Amino acid sequence: MATAGEDAPVLVVGGSLVGLSTAVFLGHHGVPSLVLERHRGTAIHPRAALVNQRTVETYRAVGLQEEVEEAAAREFVQNGAIVSVESLGGKELDWYFRFINEGVETISPTPRIFVTQIGLEPVLLRAAERLGAHVHYASETVSVEQDGDGVTAVVRPRDGGSERTVRARYLVAADGTHSPIRERLGIRQLGHGSFSDSITIYFRADVRRLMGDRNLSVVYVFGPRLQGFFRFSIDLQAGFLVVNSTTDADGTRSVRIGEDMSESTCVGYVREALGDPDLPVEIENVQRWSASAEYAERLREGRVFLAGDSAHVMPPTGGFGGNCGVQDAYDLAWKLAYVLDGRAGEELLATYDVERGPVGAFTTEQAYTRYVLRLDPSLGKENLMPIVDEAAVEIGYRYRSSAVTGAADDAMWEDPREPSGRPGFRAPHATVSVGGVERSTLDLFGRNFVVLAGPDGEAWRSAAQAAATSLGVVVDTYRIGADVADSTGSCERLYGTGTGGAALVRPDGFVAWRASTAEPDPASALADALGAALGRR
Ligand SMILES: Cc1cc2nc3c(=O)[nH]c(=O)nc-3n(C[C@H](O)[C@H](O)[C@H](O)COP(=O)(O)OP(=O)(O)OC[C@H]3O[C@@H](n4cnc5c(N)ncnc54)[C@H](O)[C@@H]3O)c2cc1C
């Protein structure tokens, strides 16, 4: 698909969680990409582990749910609790979740799962390569230029050899928190800046006795002296402890934890947080990182798009950061694919920043509020965005852009347990039967535009075909009660189509437009909505 003189249609700089996900989603839409990663392979540190329902939905749409769940099962007993304690063996303070899928089972055909970047990235790498991506490790991008036709990057092999130039039509900067590309473009960061020089201590210790029969996925430690969180390996013989702050006996608080990463200090932290001063503890590795809450003022500069931590970085409280990045990639990939082969207008690419920018900012604020309330109230509770329920942050956000028509009200998020099907929200999940096979409505989406029509909405079928033909895209049409058997009657209600209306759903599973009743001229109504959704108004 690359044209003469191009190495690939899309260059992805950064081949970690978000870069690899971008390559998978592009490949799913038939776009091969070239991924350049400075490291020599996939992640060697666990970092993200809570993979939320919306992210699993995106992997389900590209056929990866099973493989991701298998990787998850190798690493963790799934569906554990999230608690805060004074120490693992000591007093329990609060249960944020008794089990992480509590109360969200009806939202999606997918669960929240736990799998680290060590477990997940190899799955993504294999899928990306199967789908046509080329992933080059030990390859550092040292400069990026753009012109009217494309981008040119200079790549330096880390293991010797000479620099070379690569050329692509578009570039996705999935190059992490310090994003050299964002810096070079002069895109400012907004938000709360950095508030802790934190460390992650990877250790080996037998914690079975301290854990008892609890299944704890994340353990926040809010001890008298130490604040941070634990995650443990499936055999309870290893884990990591993040230390964000300490408080001395005289009440003096320190967030400069990274200044002392000596083995004896780290062993002391681990023993204290475990609540056993004598437990044998072996330190394997210590990583220093900055807890911060920041988001880029814009996510696009011409042909370059920021995604993942380069677009927004947030503290791990809530487990939102990596998920938000994967969902950036999911929004961007279909748009690039449709623009690259001419199905969509260039204007569609402007909607990436308009849609994902506010979601990144909102999600970052939610992670920051949780950090302040759970780990460091001394940062100040004034001007905090009030807590919004996790499920709404993960899956209930809304897109408002020129690619969404008829979003009449101002709501920016909703509780996905009671989805409204309004334009701009993720299309709701309902269990239906298609061709005698039980499926989720979400399984209808992922590649083409879809018209889901009410039971009396046969007129939408020819309207959809006419719009599809005139705009040169494929539109799949399903009529509730005919193509989609809906024994519970929930589809019509959830999508708000009434008996004679219809919803237009984008390839990323977001509602682009809907009619809640029959329209006098369905063909032109649908053509207008589809044209807008394709940036070809
Ligand atoms: C302790 C901890 C726990 C966390 N837990 C969760 C969680 O449970 N759930 C969650 O969603 N998130 C979590 N996060 C956040 C999550 O880890 C990040 O949001 C995620 O890793 C971001 O992925 P990314 O691909 O955008 O960036 P990164 O993972 O930082 O990857 C960027 C990549 O770009 C490469 N790169 C940079 N510059 C260049 C260059 N010039 N050329 C080539 N390559 C380059 C880097 O080598 C790197 O591999 C956690 C973070 C921490 C620190």
Side-chain angles (χ1 to χ4, degrees):
M1 193 180 180
T3 53
E6 274 175 18
D7 295 83
V10 181
L11 180 62
V12 181
V13 177
S16 180
L17 177 63
V18 174
L20 289 173
S21 296
T22 306
V24 170
F25 300 146
L26 285 167
H28 170 72
H29 284 288
V31 178
S33 56
L34 174 61
V35 182
L36 300 171
E37 168 54 54
R38 192 173 46 194
H39 291 145
R40 292 188 170 78
T42 52
I44 55 166
H45 298 299
R47 293 195 296 161
L50 174 54
V51 179
N52 70 35
Q53 287 174 297
R54 180 62 195 151
T55 300
V56 183
E57 284 175 3
T58 66
Y59 294 144
R60 177 184 175 98
V62 298
L64 280 186
Q65 182 178 347
E66 206 178 308
E67 230 179 305
V68 170
E69 287 187 336
E70 282 165 9
R74 284 193 288 275
E75 288 193 323
F76 296 103
V77 177
Q78 297 297 311
N79 212 13
I82 301 187
V83 297
S84 65
V85 298
E86 277 187 4
S87 68
L88 182 66
K91 189 173 163 195
E92 286 172 2
L93 299 173
D94 202 354
W95 288 72
Y96 302 120
F97 291 94
R98 292 270 157 192
F99 49 95
I100 55 157
N101 283 294
E102 183 176 18
V104 299
E105 298 89 341
T106 59
I107 295 175
S108 172
T110 67
R112 289 175 174 145
I113 59 175
F114 266 85
V115 57
T116 69
Q117 291 182 226
I118 295 176
L120 179 55
E121 289 185 16
V123 174
L124 298 173
L125 172 63
R126 284 194 298 275
E129 290 182 331
R130 268 198 313 266
L131 292 163
H134 292 277
V135 182
H136 293 188
Y137 286 107
S139 299
E140 179 169 9
T141 304
V142 291
S143 74
V144 171
E145 303 287 338
Q146 54 178 319
D147 53 52
D149 300 320
V151 291
T152 306
V154 175
V155 188
R156 179 182 300 154
R158 272 185 66 188
D159 297 326
S162 45
E163 288 183 356
R164 67 189 177 98
T165 298
V166 295
R167 178 92 182 148
R169 217 96 70 82
Y170 296 102
L171 185 148
V172 180
D175 53 350
T177 312
H178 304 294
S179 178
I181 293 179
R182 185 193 64 226
E183 303 264 304
R184 265 186 242 122
L185 291 172
I187 299 179
R188 284 187 314 139
Q189 295 273 75
L190 310 172
H192 301 274
S194 170
F195 34 85
S196 160
D197 173 12
S198 299
I199 59 172
T200 305
I201 307 166
Y202 299 94
F203 63 89
R204 294 201 66 77
D206 182 350
V207 303
R208 285 174 298 177
R209 180 182 57 77
L210 298 165
M211 183 68 92
D213 58 6
R214 296 173 294 180
N215 177 15
L216 306 180
S217 292
V218 181
V219 180
Y220 285 94
V221 181
F222 205 68
R225 199 177 78 90
L226 179 157
Q227 294 79 43
F229 71 90
F230 274 123
R231 282 203 320 248
F232 299 101
S233 63
I234 194 165
D235 61 1
L236 299 177
Q237 300 289 328
F240 73 68
L241 172 68
V242 165
V243 186
N244 300 114
S245 59
T246 55
T247 312
D248 288 342
D250 65 0
T252 314
R253 198 173 174 78
S254 170
V255 291
R256 297 151 78 108
I257 311 303
E259 289 177 0
D260 179 5
M261 301 184 357
S262 64
E263 182 157 348
S264 58
T265 299
C266 290
V267 169
Y269 286 149
V270 174
R271 285 185 173 146
E272 187 177 326
L274 288 172
D276 183 338
D278 302 315
L279 194 76
V281 171
E282 182 195 331
I283 304 297
E284 292 192 318
N285 190 294
V286 188
Q287 291 281 312
R288 186 175 184 177
W289 54 280
S290 166
S292 49
E294 294 181 300
Y295 37 91
E297 63 178 337
R298 61 182 191 284
L299 307 189
R300 180 195 184 193
E301 181 72 40
R303 295 176 170 274
V304 178
F305 300 85
L306 307 183
D309 276 16
S310 73
H312 39 69
V313 59
M314 56 197 85
T317 29
F320 298 141
N323 286 288
C324 192
V326 174
Q327 292 164 42
D328 292 341
Y330 201 63
D331 183 79
L332 182 56
W334 76 271
K335 293 177 179 173
L336 284 172
Y338 273 63
V339 170
L340 274 163
D341 66 12
R343 282 175 292 174
E346 282 269 338
E347 194 193 309
L348 182 61
L349 296 178
T351 67
Y352 171 65
D353 176 38
V354 178
E355 294 184 351
R356 291 303 303 173
V359 174
F362 167 64
T363 311
T364 305
E365 292 295 347
Q366 285 298 311
Y368 180 70
T369 297
R370 282 166 174 75
Y371 185 90
V372 174
L373 299 181
R374 288 182 192 172
L375 289 169
D376 193 353
S378 76
L379 286 170
K381 295 183 186 172
E382 318 75 46
N383 303 325
L384 279 185
M385 183 186 276
I387 288 256
V388 171
D389 176 71
E390 269 79 8
V393 179
E394 294 168 354
I395 214 163
Y397 54 78
R398 187 183 210 176
Y399 293 155
R400 308 206 50 156
S401 75
S402 57
V404 173
T405 315
D409 58 281
D410 289 338
M412 283 313 291
W413 54 268
E414 68 179 14
D415 182 349
R417 296 172 191 83
E418 292 168 17
S420 63
R422 284 173 290 177
F425 284 106
R426 160 192 159 279
H429 155 66
T431 302
V432 292
S433 166
V434 182
V437 180
E438 190 172 282
R439 297 170 78 183
S440 163
T441 43
L442 304 196
D443 297 331
L444 307 176
F445 318 131
R447 211 180 286 276
N448 301 324
F449 279 87
V450 170
V451 168
L452 190 64
D456 298 336
E458 188 56 30
W460 292 104
R461 198 184 300 279
S462 50
Q465 283 330 302
T469 307
S470 77
L471 288 160
V473 294
V474 176
V475 177
D476 300 327
T477 308
Y478 299 90
R479 182 157 66 85
I480 300 166
D483 314 292
V484 169
D486 176 24
S487 57
T488 59
S490 54
C491 231
E492 191 185 315
R493 179 178 54 80
L494 291 174
Y495 279 78
T497 60
T499 53
L504 175 67
V505 182
R506 313 192 309 189
D508 62 347
F510 275 72
V511 179
W513 168 86
R514 78 171 173 193
S516 41
T517 55
E519 289 269 333
D521 184 355
S524 76
L526 203 48
D528 285 351
L530 186 59
L534 288 165
R536 290 166 61 188
R537 205 189 284 266

